[in-house]
Amino acid sequence: MAAATTCTAFSVASTAVGACACLFSHLPRTLAKTNMSTTSIVSSKWIYSSKTGLNPLQRERAIKKTVPTRKLQVRAAITESQGVSLGFRAPSFELPEPLTGKIWKLEDFEPYPALLVMFICNHCPFVKHLKKDIVKLTNFYMKKGLAVAAISSNSVATHPQDGPELMAEDAKILNYPFPYLFDELQEVAQDFGAVCTPEFFLFKKDGRRPFELVYHGQYDDSRPSNNVPITGRDLSLAIDCVLSGQPVSQVQKPSVGCSIKWHPGAK
């Protein structure tokens, strides 16, 4: 009897992690009156002072009543995964794990039938949104034979919050079941063709053949601000297919997230 051509996805229930407040929350108040510059507002303070003799506190309250306000929404720049063809062979790498000090190589994952490589980081709101659910999903599939590695390639020069010490802290707090590796020179990200966080590369391995890319798509449809529940459906469906020896659909939605923060002048 022919093998079934469909897979049943394992859905990981999770409560969405709140997005980064500095990027996705409304600012409480802005000086935003049309055609009103900072200079004119400062001048109005002197007008209130000279004409009414108000003390500084009274003057400030008067200004708040005079200047109309509106809320601004600041959004992170969005980048989609792209440009990597299915069938692409996993590039070799040799990267340190800040939490343990161990050096990990691609060869360490050779005994496994499938390998998931995730490009993530500490600060990106798209990654923060999924972190807890990623831990649940990877815990589930690693028990079924999936190998997993996460890599942070962001420049510490521009984003020190993504540095190795804080990576180790993040891995410890969230109890990552996979190694969280530091790509300081950003060469591994370039070899993989990674451009955003999070970005998922799922490889399968048949016997002694090299790991070949079968899935390069999104985690699911959930985003930090769209109120869609986190399920991990897209990624888990692909993993189910690989681990059961069935073909993975080539119809794949790209992952969406923050751009990888390249070293100044590198890109």
Side-chain angles (χ1 to χ4, degrees):
M1 180 178 293
T5 58
T6 60
C7 302
T8 302
F10 166 75
S11 295
V12 182
S14 174
T15 301
V17 179
C20 177
C22 64
L23 295 174
F24 292 94
S25 63
H26 292 294
L27 298 177
R29 185 177 69 250
T30 59
L31 300 176
K33 183 177 180 180
T34 305
N35 297 325
M36 180 175 284
S37 65
T38 302
T39 303
S40 64
I41 293 171
V42 172
S43 298
S44 68
K45 289 186 179 183
W46 290 105
I47 291 171
Y48 280 115
S49 177
S50 60
K51 290 187 176 182
T52 65
L54 298 176
N55 63 42
L57 179 58
Q58 292 172 322
R59 187 169 66 246
E60 182 66 22
R61 288 173 178 170
I63 292 173
K64 288 180 180 179
K65 291 180 180 179
T66 303
V67 179
T69 62
R70 75 180 178 198
K71 293 181 179 180
L72 296 180
Q73 190 172 42
V74 181
R75 298 184 182 276
I78 297 176
T79 301
E80 290 187 351
S81 59
Q82 58 188 350
V84 182
S85 301
L86 299 180
F88 167 74
R89 292 184 176 182
S92 296
F93 60 82
E94 186 173 340
L95 295 173
E97 180 184 12
L99 180 62
T100 64
K102 179 179 177 179
I103 302 297
W104 289 81
K105 303 177 182 179
L106 178 64
E107 291 75 14
D108 294 323
F109 304 100
E110 289 290 335
Y112 297 88
L115 169 65
L116 174 64
V117 177
M118 306 178 291
F119 284 84
I120 63 173
C121 66
N122 291 350
H123 88 277
C124 173
F126 291 88
V127 176
K128 287 183 174 183
H129 179 62
L130 299 176
K131 278 182 181 179
K132 290 183 179 180
D133 209 76
I134 286 174
V135 170
K136 292 180 182 180
L137 183 144
T138 52
N139 265 317
F140 178 83
Y141 282 111
M142 289 174 72
K143 294 174 182 176
K144 293 180 174 292
L146 177 70
V148 181
I151 299 173
S152 177
S153 301
N154 278 358
S155 173
V156 178
T158 59
H159 290 73
Q161 63 268 50
D162 290 331
E165 291 184 2
L166 294 179
M167 284 176 60
E169 182 178 321
D170 214 41
K172 186 174 182 180
I173 291 173
L174 291 166
N175 197 24
Y176 283 166
F178 46 79
Y180 186 21
L181 312 178
F182 182 44
D183 179 23
E184 182 177 10
L185 299 180
Q186 303 185 321
E187 293 176 346
V188 176
Q190 294 180 33
D191 289 344
F192 272 80
V195 296
C196 65
T197 56
E199 187 164 356
F200 304 95
F201 295 80
L202 177 63
F203 299 89
K204 74 172 183 178
K205 193 173 190 302
D206 293 325
R208 295 184 178 181
R209 296 183 63 183
F211 282 113
E212 294 184 353
L213 185 68
V214 294
Y215 184 77
H216 181 224
Q218 66 176 7
Y219 192 78
D220 58 23
D221 289 324
S222 184
R223 304 289 183 262
S225 58
N226 69 0
N227 295 319
V228 174
I230 301 173
T231 63
R233 181 183 183 281
D234 296 60
L235 180 58
S236 61
L237 177 60
I239 297 172
D240 280 331
C241 289
V242 171
L243 294 181
S244 62
Q246 299 180 43
V248 178
S249 172
Q250 295 190 12
V251 179
Q252 302 173 8
K253 296 180 182 179
S255 186
V256 175
C258 305
S259 63
I260 288 180
K261 310 309 179 192
W262 305 104
H263 294 312
K267 284 266 180 175

